[in-house]
Amino acid sequence: MTTDPIVTCLAELERKVLWLSSWVIHNANHLRPNTDGLKVGGHQASSASLATIMTALYFAALRPQDRVAVKPHASPIFHAIQYLLGRQSREKLEQFRGYKGAQSYPSRTKDSGDVDFSTGSVGLGAALTIFASLAQDYVKAHGWAADQPEGRMIALVGDAEMDEGNIFEALLEGWKQGLRNCWWIIDYNRQSLDAVIREGLYARFEALFRAFGWDVVVLKYGSLLEEAFREEGGEQLRAWIDRCPNQLYSALTFQGGAAWRKRLLDDIGDQGAVTRLLERRNDAELARLMTNLAGHDLPTLLEAFRTASRHDRPVCFLTYTIKGYGLPLAGHKDNHAGIMTPQQMESFRAAMNIRPGREWDPFEGLALPRTELEAFLAKVPFNAEWPRRRRSAAIPVPQTLAVPHQPEMSTQTGFGLILNELAKSQEALAERIVTTSPDVTVSTNLGPFVNRRGLFAREAMADLFKRERIPSTFNWDFSPKGQHVELGIAEMNLFLLLSALGLSGSLFGERLLPIGTLYDPFIARGLDALNYACYQDARFILAATPSGITLAPEGGAHQSIGTPLIGMAQDGLAAFEPAFVDELGIILRWAFDYLQRDGSDEPSGHTWLRDEIGGSVYLRLSTRPIEQPARNIDPPLAEAIINGAYWLRPPGPNPDVVVAYTGAVAPEAIEAAGLMAEDRRDVGLLAITSADRLNAGWTAAQRAREHGLRHAHSHIERLLAPLPSYCGIVTVLDGHPATLAWLGSVHGHRTRSLGVEHFGQSGAIGDLYRHYGIDANAIVAAAQSISPSRPIRHLKALP
């Protein structure tokens, strides 16, 4: 038994962490009233396999500046540790997986505890630590947070979690970017949800991480096993364990000491030394010996963490553990979703010396005095006074952004020109912008910004083409002061990097304003990571371009249909699709401010769009050049653009039809309104810049009225209020028609919604617009179908 007082205290705390995490789940499933009859769950076995590792980390190895992505299924262990550190309440633990209780999986936005990175969708939290390390390097290289020590970005990763493809994409990108200060601790318990994992997987993990430049520390045997190996016959025992299949090892763990003894004697045979080694231990001692893997051995873990702390290279700890360690479920192949029965919990309670009624007591059942453990916890490095959720000063946003005017221009071109003007300026805003793209920097018009501000790398690297005097439009110099992070072509990595950069203010105390670009159809390739970034309230601007079938020659594989609906449905993301570049300038200026808002998540009653909270922004842009209006945008129009819509052509007093359009189909909508005006009076043309914000405002206003605020009215309700009941609405966009189909429900107007519902094909814009029914003729015909009071005399001849 160890005489190290630190290990002694940690061993006691480990027992308490295991008890509390198991009791939290038991209480939720067996004791708390269940109003809907559903199983609550909680993963007792998956938590138990990390109890020792997380005890060693949080109570010994971690420093306040370190950041941890906890394995999703170890959430109860995390909450138990936070409880012992005084950062979690008993009430939250009692409501684990209940309303406003501790969350099923660690959440930055839903948990009151000290969560660094949300986890839940497996693989994403682990991968995010790579990009958080890169974000920290970016902040440091730019001379910010100079007085703050560098932290380690640490991931606790389940071995089955390593099946997720985004992990391998992230590892490759980490190698490209010269990853530092990152630890991954793989919980190698060799069991997944459905089964026991494949034999020899550890060797693949080891080779993989070494290939990407990581140090690999294999932690297989604990102190007891290492001592036994030094006994006579010990090497034969080691050889047997090394040969033992994963399924057999798990089964024997569940069966216990007698089963271990029988199998070892059957397989090794009576060879004297091995037999004596086994006979010196009773069944309980033998079971303890054979399950003494390194992931459950505090001295082994502490030494491994101390050694790795001496350098900043990335480290993978391949740590052998047992799923359900210390519980009656240990080793059983069905234990992933298994929960101890009340009878099993009573046996576990007795083993832990917990008296009935004292289950939540932080020090109940422990051998060391309460005062000694409290004194130990007070000195834990991680528990030192430190602003774990940091505050960062707001970056001033100019009243207007310079928007170069050209008679004809696409929103994608305008986006690049606006950023170029910012890059030329001395605004503080420009210094905090960091752009990134998955190998489409040039084709999404970030090139001008990158030419002026450079690419980021910790070590300078000159553009060889420029050095060799080869003419090129772009200057591809890398330096620590660059403001563009060039990524490989993996959209998951884009959204994970945007997530890390967008959390920089909270993680490192220095606010960044990230802008990421990609092709609009490929949002879907990274949608899980985008949702994850929004879930943890990361702040960024996403410019997705080109979009829709307007990217006509590229064909269906490069054309987007449903992305406007993604923009509307994604929480934490305000979506815009401007038609004109002056609209884009207003939106971008607003977006830089919106990213920095930090209000309550409970909006005040009069704020329909929850604008005080802030969030991220999605811009759906186009490569289609269209005629630009020559106008000065006054404050009321600017406000309308941000709120989602304005009358480009206000309807007269008695309209029988209006056209509402979004984005690149503006020319067709304008042409159609002109054609209809020859036969109809008072035709209106509604420019919709954000279906998302219009719909959100309308929904919020209805909810407010239901709660008694009778005078609550949304922007779209006010815009459509003057229309007579018989007026029809034709909606059109280069995207799914459902995006605008709800407009008729605002005041009960008959509506015909045009858009794209099927995969596109190659062709010219005119061909495709005609084929999919979003050209001027189609708009006029749609108006006639819902308001047939006028004959059609001006349709163009169809081919």
Side-chain angles (χ1 to χ4, degrees), residues 442 446-448 451 463 466 472-476:
V442 173
L446 279 180
N451 277 348
D463 186 339
K466 184 174 69 175
S472 173
T473 309
F474 301 102
N475 177 12
W476 233 237

Side-chain angles (χ1 to χ4, degrees), residues 413-441:
T413 299
F415 169 75
L417 292 176
I418 293 170
L419 286 187
N420 185 47
E421 291 298 315
L422 265 176
K424 291 191 296 184
S425 76
Q426 298 302 312
E427 297 282 355
L429 176 71
E431 295 297 323
R432 294 294 175 142
I433 292 173
V434 51
T435 61
T436 185
S437 188
D439 202 35
V440 290
T441 297

Side-chain angles (χ1 to χ4, degrees), residues 607-642:
T607 306
W608 318 130
L609 295 180
R610 301 166 61 97
D611 277 4
E612 71 269 32
I613 300 171
S616 294
V617 176
Y618 160 37
L619 307 174
R620 189 174 190 252
L621 305 180
S622 173
T623 51
R624 184 190 186 188
I626 64 175
E627 184 179 348
Q628 299 295 307
R631 59 183 174 177
N632 292 317
I633 295 182
D634 58 19
L637 178 54
E639 183 179 5
I641 288 169
I642 296 304

Side-chain angles (χ1 to χ4, degrees), residues 105-304:
Y105 311 112
S107 171
R108 282 183 59 88
T109 54
K110 304 298 183 185
D111 270 318
S112 58
D114 189 15
V115 178
D116 294 316
F117 305 111
S118 298
T119 52
S121 185
V122 293
L124 293 178
L128 184 60
T129 58
I130 289 176
F131 296 99
S133 179
L134 175 58
Q136 180 178 239
D137 281 347
Y138 183 94
V139 166
K140 290 288 186 179
H142 284 76
W144 302 317
D147 60 337
Q148 305 297 329
E150 290 183 346
R152 294 186 193 91
M153 308 298 120
I154 300 171
L156 297 161
V157 189
D159 48 7
E161 195 171 359
M162 289 292 295
D163 286 348
E164 286 288 349
N166 73 277
I167 279 183
F168 303 97
E169 294 176 354
L171 286 171
L172 178 58
E173 195 61 50
W175 171 79
K176 292 178 184 177
Q177 301 289 345
L179 178 65
R180 305 184 307 131
N181 289 318
C182 190
W183 289 1
W184 281 18
I185 304 168
I186 297 180
D187 176 15
Y188 194 59
N189 60 44
R190 291 156 291 166
Q191 289 183 247
S192 63
L193 191 156
D194 289 332
V196 177
I197 67 173
R198 302 285 180 174
E199 299 297 327
L201 193 58
Y202 71 92
R204 302 296 179 270
F205 289 163
E206 184 174 1
L208 175 73
F209 280 91
R210 292 196 192 282
F212 286 130
W214 292 53
D215 288 0
V216 178
V217 179
V218 179
L219 300 174
K220 187 170 185 178
Y221 300 117
S223 304
L224 293 179
L225 276 171
E226 291 290 358
E227 290 174 8
F229 295 157
R230 289 191 286 271
E231 296 179 27
E232 189 178 2
E235 285 305 314
Q236 291 167 280
L237 178 62
R238 183 200 296 268
W240 182 90
I241 294 175
D242 287 342
R243 293 192 308 269
C244 183
N246 291 334
Q247 288 200 50
L248 177 58
Y249 207 91
S250 295
L252 293 173
T253 295
F254 179 75
Q255 291 174 308
W260 279 113
R261 189 181 305 278
K262 181 178 185 306
R263 188 61 186 236
L264 286 166
L265 290 174
D266 285 350
D267 286 0
I268 299 176
D270 187 357
Q271 299 188 28
V274 177
T275 303
R276 288 191 295 273
L277 185 154
L278 300 178
E279 289 178 345
R280 283 194 287 272
R281 296 159 173 86
N282 61 33
D283 284 353
E285 291 169 337
L286 182 59
R288 184 184 176 206
L289 173 68
M290 296 303 292
T291 57
N292 176 236
L293 300 180
H296 304 300
D297 190 75
L298 285 165
T300 301
L301 291 169
L302 292 173
E303 179 57 31

Side-chain angles (χ1 to χ4, degrees), residues 757-777:
E757 299 176 81
H758 304 290
F759 293 117
Q761 54 188 296
S762 299
I765 287 177
D767 295 333
L768 297 193
Y769 278 20
R770 184 166 51 252
H771 177 82
Y772 289 98
I774 58 174
D775 64 346
N777 278 3

Side-chain angles (χ1 to χ4, degrees), residues 3 101 137 139 151 165 192 227 238 254 292 315 318 335 366-367 435 460 485 539 561 568 587 737 750 799:
T3 58
D137 281 347
V139 166
S192 63
E227 290 174 8
R238 183 200 296 268
F254 179 75
N292 176 236
V315 181
L318 185 53
N335 65 14
L366 300 183
T435 61
V485 181
R539 303 296 179 87
I561 298 171
M568 292 181 69
I587 293 165
R750 190 175 183 185

Side-chain angles (χ1 to χ4, degrees), residues 373-670:
L373 289 169
E374 286 178 331
F376 179 85
L377 288 171
K379 295 179 180 178
V380 165
F382 184 72
N383 215 21
E385 287 294 327
W386 181 269
R388 299 268 302 146
R389 288 288 182 97
R390 304 183 69 82
R391 290 281 181 177
S392 54
I395 309 303
V397 179
Q399 288 300 310
T400 59
L401 299 182
V403 181
H405 180 76
Q406 297 176 7
E408 189 175 88
M409 188 169 24
S410 71
T411 48
Q412 176 178 305
T413 299
F415 169 75
L417 292 176
I418 293 170
L419 286 187
N420 185 47
E421 291 298 315
L422 265 176
K424 291 191 296 184
S425 76
Q426 298 302 312
E427 297 282 355
L429 176 71
E431 295 297 323
R432 294 294 175 142
I433 292 173
V434 51
T435 61
T436 185
S437 188
D439 202 35
V440 290
T441 297
V442 173
S443 53
T444 55
N445 274 48
L446 279 180
F449 181 87
V450 176
N451 277 348
R452 293 188 181 277
R453 293 286 175 158
L455 292 101
F456 171 73
R458 286 193 302 110
E459 297 181 1
M461 182 172 61
D463 186 339
L464 186 61
F465 275 72
K466 184 174 69 175
R467 181 185 296 171
E468 294 294 323
R469 300 178 183 274
I470 300 173
S472 173
T473 309
F474 301 102
N475 177 12
W476 233 237
D477 283 331
F478 289 82
S479 78
K481 298 303 179 185
Q483 290 180 235
H484 176 78
V485 181
E486 182 65 7
L487 296 173
I489 188 163
E491 285 75 13
M492 292 288 284
N493 285 345
L494 170 72
F495 290 121
L496 287 169
L497 177 58
L498 288 174
S499 183
L501 295 170
L503 292 174
S504 178
S506 174
L507 295 175
F508 311 121
E510 294 290 342
R511 189 186 301 275
L512 301 174
L513 300 172
I515 300 176
T517 65
L518 81 167
Y519 293 172
D520 191 67
F522 301 136
I523 284 178
R525 293 181 63 173
L527 195 53
D528 193 13
L530 171 61
N531 181 67
Y532 172 67
C534 293
Y535 176 66
Q536 57 185 351
D537 198 26
R539 303 296 179 87
F540 52 88
I541 294 172
L542 176 67
T545 177
S547 62
I549 62 167
T550 303
L551 188 61
E554 290 282 353
H558 280 65
Q559 296 167 356
S560 54
I561 298 171
T563 49
L565 298 176
I566 292 172
M568 292 181 69
Q570 180 59 59
D571 190 18
L573 189 70
F576 292 85
E577 187 171 354
F580 303 116
V581 174
D582 58 358
E583 297 170 350
L584 176 60
I586 296 295
I587 293 165
L588 263 177
R589 189 265 161 210
W590 175 87
F592 285 124
D593 176 71
Y594 188 67
L595 263 58
Q596 302 184 68
R597 298 180 189 177
D598 189 22
S600 165
D601 63 357
E602 297 294 337
S604 57
H606 66 278
T607 306
W608 318 130
L609 295 180
R610 301 166 61 97
D611 277 4
E612 71 269 32
I613 300 171
S616 294
V617 176
Y618 160 37
L619 307 174
R620 189 174 190 252
L621 305 180
S622 173
T623 51
R624 184 190 186 188
I626 64 175
E627 184 179 348
Q628 299 295 307
R631 59 183 174 177
N632 292 317
I633 295 182
D634 58 19
L637 178 54
E639 183 179 5
I641 288 169
I642 296 304
N643 286 338
Y646 64 94
W647 287 109
L648 185 66
R649 178 188 294 175
N654 295 295
D656 57 11
V657 70
V658 298
V659 177
Y661 75 88
T662 285
V665 297
E668 283 66 33
I670 293 169

Side-chain angles (χ1 to χ4, degrees), residues 27 37 40 78-79 153 243 316 381 434 495 547 656 720 785 788:
N27 176 73
V40 178
F78 172 78
H79 293 308
M153 308 298 120
R243 293 192 308 269
C316 170
V434 51
F495 290 121
S547 62
D656 57 11
L720 299 183
S785 73

